[in-house]
Structures are given as structure tokens and as C-alpha cells.
Amino acid sequence: MPSPLAWLTAPCVMGILNVTPDSFSDGGEHLDPASAVGHARRMAADGAAIVDVGGESTRPGAAHVPVDQEMARVVPVLKALAADGAAVPVSIDTRHAAVAAVALDFGAVLVNDVSAGGDPGMFPLVADRGAGLCLMHMQGEPATMQDDPRYDDVVDEVAAFLEARMRAAVDAGVSEEAILLDPGIGFGKTVQHNLALLDSLPRIVALGRPVLVGVSRKGIIGALTGREVGDRLAGSIGAGLAAVQAGAAVLRVHDVVETVDAMRAFTRTRGGGE
Ligand code: HH2
């Protein structure tokens, strides 16, 4: 069986394909399957290594989306991407094993689970299908996670959580080689918590698995630059490259072509032009 992370050549870009009416920066843009496929094709042509399809916004304050509603949003898009010959590998951004199962049926290669196995069916499913798995840290639930996030030591706690969830996944039969880890920037964290995690990213990298980082257009970029959501491209790229410098293998982004160009220039400059 090919490696579940065969698509990953570090550092690389995961392009975001939100099929939601209410995502914080691109809600409603790709609800129609034809538009979603067009956007996926464009991101592939622009150099995305993988496209992350999501049917539930997990922005701060977002309400939980029932499984049938999430399914109704993502299935037509997954079907259309599969019919398109899957020009690019597909990841499914979901907390529900039932949604992940359908996505894997349609050829998705990665489950991006921001609850890190909150659904007890998730790890056995991923193990059974030999899929890739991204485990992310979140404190609390999207609806309330930004109300008053607190940690004694955010870096220790996030690293310990990710290590424990990785062990639980492996105990459930998931191959360790299939796992990506993500500190969950903006998920139950203040600006200072996010900055501490980005500054200490090597601690997460030291857990031994590729690290995915999502800062694209997020509140932390607004806090650092004073910009509104639509004007956070340069800030997102700056923070993303700092994450790559600190060892991130994958950047999850909205703006693929700009990030790929920046990453190429950055890595080739650091590599002495190799
Ligand atoms: N961030 C978002 C959603 N999914 N998955 C991982 N692994 N890491 C992240 O940082 C991450 C994620 C939130 O961003 P977005 O998809 O743009 O917004 P929304 O949740 O409003 O759809």
C-alpha cells in the first residue's frame, strides 16, 4: 500500500476548500460543486500538494453542524472531485467519522480532525482504511473556545495532548507513519498562547511527526498587523514562513499561489540556490 502521506513533500501547502455558508474568510464562495471543483483545480495548478474540503466552520463562536447537514454540503463536492479524476489529493476536514468514511469512499487520502479523535469511531475508521490523519489541539469547543482560554504552560500542555492523542490513535491501529500533528492556532488560545506555540514549534516537531500549521487570515494575523480579514495575505505569509523556518512541514492556507511562491523563494534562498 502506498504511504498515506505520499503527497507530502516538506515544506508544502494544503489549500483550503470550505464548503460552508459561514467560514470566517471565505464562507459561501464554493458551495456549488462546479465552483468548488474549479477552485480545487486552480489550487492544484498553483502548487497545492493537497486540498482540504470542509463542511463545518470551526471559527470562534461557530455552532456545531449536524452530521446530515455537513454531509449534504461535502458529498456533492467530493463526488465532483472524484469524477474530475482527482487532479489533486483530497483531505476531509471533519470531526465526524461518518463524514470521513464517505470522503474516504470518494478517494480522500487524509482525515483532518480538529477534535483529534473526539468521535470514538474516527481512529478505528482511519486504521481500517489506511488513511492519513491530522491530529489538532483545541481547548474547548468552537462555540466558546475564545471566551477565556487558560493554560499553566501552553507549549507543555499542547505537546502532551498531541503525544497522548498520537498514542491513542496508534493503539487503535493507526500507523504512526500516517499521522500529522497540529498545535491548532486560534483554537482556544489567546494571541500570546499562539505566539508561544509558534515560537516553540520545534517542541512539537520533536514529537517525530510532520507538523501542519494553519495561520491563514486568522485573528492572530489581525492582531499582529492590525488588518481586517481580507487584508491579511502578507501577514499570513510572514507568519507561515516563520513556521516553516521552525520546522513546519505543511501550511494550511487560503491563498495558494502566493504562499507557494513565497515558500519556494524562502527555501531556495536558505538552501543556497539548490
Ligand atoms: N483551521 C481551521 C479549520 N481547520 N484544521 C487544521 N488542521 N488546522 C487549522 O489551523 C485549521 C483547521 C479554521 O480555518 P478556516 O477553515 O479558514 O475557517 P472556518 O473554520 O471558519 O471554516
Side-chain angles (χ1 to χ4, degrees):
M1 197 191 285
S3 157
L5 301 185
W7 53 271
L8 196 167
T9 312
C12 65
V13 163
M14 168 186 273
I16 300 171
L17 184 53
N18 282 323
V19 194
T20 55
D22 58 343
S23 285
F24 77 93
S25 79
D26 58 354
E29 284 180 22
H30 307 296
L31 284 175
D32 164 51
S35 147
V37 170
H39 190 53
R41 278 200 191 134
R42 204 156 40 248
M43 291 196 287
D46 288 344
I50 193 164
V51 163
D52 191 35
V53 177
E56 178 189 40
S57 171
T58 46
R59 74 187 187 285
H64 197 88
V65 172
V67 157
D68 54 342
Q69 201 175 335
E70 189 184 340
M71 204 79 95
R73 290 176 183 170
V74 298
V75 167
V77 171
L78 294 166
K79 203 183 267 184
L81 285 172
D84 193 51
V88 61
V90 171
S91 157
I92 180 74
D93 184 352
T94 187
R95 298 189 275 173
H96 294 126
V99 175
V102 173
L104 295 174
D105 287 344
F106 280 115
V109 297
L110 180 76
V111 177
N112 174 23
D113 181 3
V114 301
S115 72
D119 180 335
M122 193 64 98
F123 292 165
L125 171 78
V126 172
D128 182 52
R129 304 292 189 92
L133 176 66
C134 181
L135 298 171
M136 197 196 78
H137 175 274
M138 167 164 55
Q139 186 183 83
E141 280 286 309
T144 53
M145 66 188 177
Q146 290 306 112
D147 287 355
D148 184 22
R150 283 169 193 252
Y151 300 83
D152 289 330
D153 183 320
V154 67
V155 177
D156 278 355
E157 288 172 46
V158 169
F161 172 87
L162 291 175
E163 188 164 28
R165 296 315 291 159
M166 178 160 65
R167 289 292 137 236
V170 169
D171 287 349
V174 176
S175 160
E176 192 164 328
E177 301 304 305
I179 295 175
L180 285 165
L181 301 175
D182 182 345
I185 300 301
F187 285 84
K189 286 146 191 127
T190 63
V191 170
Q192 288 311 318
H193 293 143
N194 290 319
L195 290 174
L197 283 165
L198 289 168
D199 191 45
S200 297
L201 209 61
R203 285 276 308 283
I204 312 294
V205 174
L207 295 175
R209 297 305 309 147
V211 170
L212 184 149
V213 169
V215 291
S216 186
R217 303 182 187 172
K218 284 187 179 172
I220 180 180
I221 305 300
L224 295 176
T225 61
R227 303 279 180 200
E228 294 304 319
V229 170
D231 295 317
R232 294 179 184 167
L233 173 58
S236 300
I237 289 176
L241 293 183
V244 169
Q245 167 99 318
V250 185
L251 296 183
R252 182 181 181 278
V253 307
H254 302 88
D255 302 289
V256 170
V257 73
E258 296 87 348
T259 310
V260 167
D261 279 0
M263 193 183 262
R264 281 189 184 142
F266 179 78
T267 51
R268 291 202 61 194
T269 305
R270 292 188 63 232
E274 294 304 311

